[in-house]
Amino acid sequence: MSDRSRRHWVRYFVDYSALVIFLAAYFLTGRDMVQASWALVAGSVLALLVGLIVERRIAPFPAIAGGAALVFGGLTIFFDDPRFLKLKPTIMNSIFGAALLGGLAMGKNPLKLVLGEAFTMPPSAWKRLTLNYALFFFALAGLNEIVWRTQPDTTWMLFRFPGLMILTLLFSIAHAPMLMRYIPSDERPPPPTE
């Protein structure tokens, strides 16, 4: 396995292992979300340690997600109340949406800081992409509120993972045509010959 391939697997592990462990623990504990929170907290610590050991750093997004899982999972355990975990996607997505809109309001572009080297887009395209993602994060926050307040815990768990991941992937794929126009020409695949 190449070094680059190994790094991709490590990133997937760091990003998703805690959620997979949490989901598995939920079903293994007889659908007890508070008990499964112990697995979420342990899985988050493990994921961050693996990222630190293998990559010799903790990437910003896994650090934020892992830190939030520790805080909300810890609150769920301490207060014996799963509502803290159910509120986590609402709060985190709202923070992400507000950060993107706040950046735009201050004349900055947070997405450009993250993706700037991969795409060379004009300011208007960065602004549109940032606004789209901000609105998407707010929509996810609202959708989470609807699901956890109206559906059984098992439905919310499956919505949380893999549901939110699937929605995010589909949303990102929908932006692929726009982004493809701005990939530097030396990185684009060659046109078909036939």
Side-chain angles (χ1 to χ4, degrees):
M1 181 182 294
S2 73
D3 188 48
R4 183 176 178 163
S5 178
R6 188 184 77 201
R7 279 191 310 234
H8 277 40
W9 282 108
V10 168
R11 286 192 185 131
Y12 289 133
F13 179 83
V14 170
D15 289 346
Y16 301 111
S17 62
L19 290 172
V20 171
I21 291 168
F22 177 50
L23 184 64
Y26 173 75
F27 288 108
L28 291 172
T29 61
R31 299 180 182 187
D32 185 332
M33 199 174 301
V34 175
Q35 288 300 313
S37 296
W38 287 98
L40 176 65
V41 169
S44 297
V45 170
L46 176 66
L48 291 173
L49 285 174
V50 167
L52 181 62
I53 291 167
V54 174
E55 295 188 327
R56 296 189 178 113
R57 70 182 184 99
I58 297 178
F61 291 116
I64 292 168
L70 292 173
V71 169
F72 287 96
L75 289 170
T76 296
I77 293 166
F78 184 79
F79 290 105
D80 193 32
D81 188 346
R83 288 180 294 180
F84 288 103
L85 278 179
K86 293 176 180 180
L87 283 170
K88 177 184 172 268
T90 300
I91 292 170
M92 296 307 295
N93 283 312
S94 295
I95 288 170
F96 292 147
L100 292 176
L101 289 181
L104 284 179
M106 292 187 302
K108 305 287 183 197
N109 202 313
L111 281 185
K112 186 175 182 179
L113 294 174
V114 177
L115 302 172
E117 293 183 19
F119 305 99
T120 52
M121 299 192 293
S124 61
W126 280 116
K127 184 176 181 178
R128 189 171 89 211
L129 184 67
T130 301
L131 183 60
N132 288 353
Y133 268 92
L135 295 175
F136 175 69
F137 284 129
F138 285 126
L140 288 181
L143 186 57
N144 182 65
E145 283 297 297
I146 292 167
V147 172
W148 86 262
R149 292 178 187 275
T150 64
Q151 301 301 310
D153 285 350
T154 300
T155 302
W156 179 81
M157 286 291 292
L158 295 172
F159 164 76
R160 174 67 188 96
F161 185 79
L164 286 177
M165 183 183 76
I166 292 168
L167 289 173
T168 303
L169 180 64
L170 292 173
F171 184 79
S172 296
I173 289 171
H175 286 83
M178 179 185 94
L179 295 174
M180 292 299 289
R181 289 184 287 187
Y182 300 109
I183 293 177
S185 59
D186 58 333
E187 294 181 20
R188 286 186 188 167
T193 56
E194 295 181 30

